Amino acid sequence: MPPRISLTRYLVEQQRHDNRIPAQLRLLLEVVARACKSISMAVNKGALGGVLGSTETENVQGEIQKKLDVIANEVLIEANEWGGHLAAMASEEMDGIYVVPNRYPQGEYLLLFDPLDGSSNIDVNVSIGTIFSVLRKPEGPSGVTLQDFLQPGHQQVAAGYCIYGPQTTLVLTVGAGVVMFTLDREQGSFVLTQESLQIPPDTREFAINMSNMRHWAAPVRRYVDECLAGREGPRGKDFNMRWIASMVADVHRILTRGGIFMYPWDNREPDKPGKLRLMYEANPMGWIVEQAGGAASDGLGRILDIHPASLHQRVSVMLGSRHEVERLAAYHTAL
Ligand code: AHM
Ligand code: MG
């Protein structure tokens, strides 16, 4: 039997390999993984831990926070603030950036996260997850500012997510492909279970919230109409549909067997570019998908090339099997 490779060993070996992961980044990824383990335990306890249900508070997006949103946010901050690897953090659940307090040393990285994506699924016991993105703090004499975070996604140095489902699985990229680790609860460690994940370029499966159909833009409607027309339609094949309402779970399925995920702009809130957030949802997921051979577009261009103007900026998201994403993007430019 080949040796079991723990996340720690994988990261140490990556560090040795042309210093692909500098020491501070290795520590950061270990700490994030440890925080995800704690979140996984809290999620598992559910009603027994008194963690289900909502708080009385709203986040910056005006969404009522679930108790687990707040707990996961605190776990990630407390785990990461003292290690000396970070300068600041930003989260879906916090209005502004969280600068590492003066009492701790400041590191050279910036961490962004959606502490618990798919919040609407928490209480109904459906898969949810943590999404994270790591940027390098730009060099400069002054302290860390919001401006330091506003970097396009192609400047990420690490990105990943941890899905809390039937298994707890951590998926990671540092720009050298995508790797997957499964949490061994008896040992308390993440174990490497798949390397070099590849998304097939073609698919017969799409994911979109169909209840928004009447609000979609014409290119998205055309794409989905053609999928629904099946074998008799212009695509000449039948399509299957899935919608979990947790981006982590939909992306995880796509990494496993292909597919296209769409949360496009729609006419419900015409002034907003979409529902999902660029910096801690679309960018990390977009990079993971690209690193697995897929594509990520907002319909007009590559998501990773968007220059963010604000921390909680929203974006139209179409990602997954490359040929399907390219087709949908072509429908946008054709009109
Ligand atoms: P959240 O970060 O507040 O949980 O919202 C993001 C989620 C995604 O995980 C998912 O794809 C989408 O919202 C589901 O939206 P909808 O409820 O419109 O189906
Ligand atoms: Mg989210």
Side-chain angles (χ1 to χ4, degrees):
M1 269 225 334
R4 278 163 59 110
I5 301 190
S6 65
L7 175 69
T8 302
R9 175 168 169 181
Y10 173 83
L11 294 174
V12 167
E13 287 177 355
Q14 290 293 310
Q15 187 182 351
R16 277 194 206 129
H17 189 290
D18 300 332
N19 203 20
R20 196 179 272 157
I21 305 184
Q24 271 196 15
L25 181 56
R26 177 165 73 81
L27 175 62
L28 190 166
L29 294 171
E30 291 244 37
V31 173
V32 169
R34 209 176 305 139
C36 289
K37 252 188 272 178
S38 292
I39 297 169
S40 172
M41 302 301 165
V43 168
N44 277 177
K45 283 193 183 127
L48 298 177
V51 295
L52 301 185
S54 300
T55 63
E56 301 293 307
T57 51
E58 280 186 0
N59 67 12
V60 62
Q61 342 274 337
E63 300 156 342
I64 290 285
Q65 291 175 302
K66 300 280 185 184
K67 286 183 192 165
L68 270 171
D69 283 326
V70 176
I71 292 168
N73 196 57
E74 281 168 5
V75 167
L76 280 156
I77 289 178
E78 281 169 18
N80 277 287
E81 65 180 353
W82 51 269
H85 51 281
L86 281 183
M89 294 177 248
S91 157
E92 178 177 330
E93 304 303 335
M94 301 187 293
D95 297 11
I97 64 170
Y98 179 91
V99 178
V100 166
N102 283 337
R103 60 184 181 279
Y104 302 122
Q106 277 215 353
E108 52 190 273
Y109 291 101
L110 306 173
L111 175 66
L112 298 103
F113 47 84
D114 178 353
L116 216 45
D117 181 60
S119 297
S120 69
N121 280 324
I122 293 175
D123 294 352
V124 294
N125 202 1
V126 169
S127 298
I128 47 183
T130 298
I131 309 174
F132 62 93
S133 163
V134 184
L135 296 165
R136 197 171 279 115
K137 178 187 168 313
E139 295 201 356
S142 60
V144 60
T145 65
L146 168 63
Q147 195 60 34
D148 294 333
F149 279 83
L150 303 181
Q151 305 179 36
H154 63 246
Q155 288 179 209
Q156 292 172 103
V157 293
Y161 65 82
C162 187
I163 179 167
Y164 313 114
Q167 305 112 43
T168 289
T169 306
L170 181 75
V171 170
L172 178 69
T173 185
V174 290
V178 180
V179 281
M180 194 187 283
F181 301 84
T182 303
L183 181 60
D184 179 336
R185 286 190 189 278
E186 277 126 51
Q187 303 287 332
S189 63
F190 281 104
V191 179
L192 183 66
T193 42
Q194 212 180 328
E195 278 187 279
S196 306
L197 274 83
Q198 284 295 317
I199 299 173
D202 295 297
T203 182
R204 289 169 180 243
E205 199 160 69
F206 68 93
I208 193 165
N209 184 342
M210 292 287 289
S211 69
N212 298 324
M213 189 172 212
R214 68 192 183 284
H215 305 294
W216 293 340
V220 176
R221 189 178 274 265
R222 173 181 171 192
Y223 177 81
V224 175
D225 279 348
E226 289 181 1
C227 293
L228 294 176
R231 199 175 305 173
E232 291 76 35
R235 301 299 308 274
K237 57 183 183 181
D238 291 333
F239 279 77
N240 187 23
M241 197 203 89
R242 287 285 185 273
W243 185 250
I244 303 175
S246 286
M247 190 195 200
V248 274
D250 280 310
V251 169
H252 197 69
R253 184 189 59 256
I254 288 170
L255 275 174
T256 310
R257 67 178 191 209
I260 178 169
F261 169 91
M262 295 164 274
Y263 213 122
W265 169 92
D266 68 45
N267 209 12
R268 282 173 300 168
E269 292 184 289
D271 297 340
K272 292 189 180 155
K275 173 180 178 179
L276 299 179
R277 277 57 53 124
L278 174 65
M279 299 208 60
Y280 40 80
E281 292 180 323
N283 274 344
M285 290 310 206
W287 197 32
I288 290 167
V289 164
E290 282 194 5
Q291 283 289 313
S297 168
D298 69 349
L300 302 172
R302 187 181 177 219
I303 284 179
L304 298 189
D305 287 339
I306 297 173
H307 283 263
S310 64
L311 198 55
H312 300 287
Q313 181 168 330
R314 291 168 190 261
V315 65
S316 187
V317 177
M318 301 154 203
L319 54 77
S321 290
R322 191 163 43 81
H323 292 162
E324 295 300 313
V325 175
E326 285 168 0
R327 172 183 286 268
L328 180 52
Y331 289 179
H332 281 76
T333 45
L335 290 170

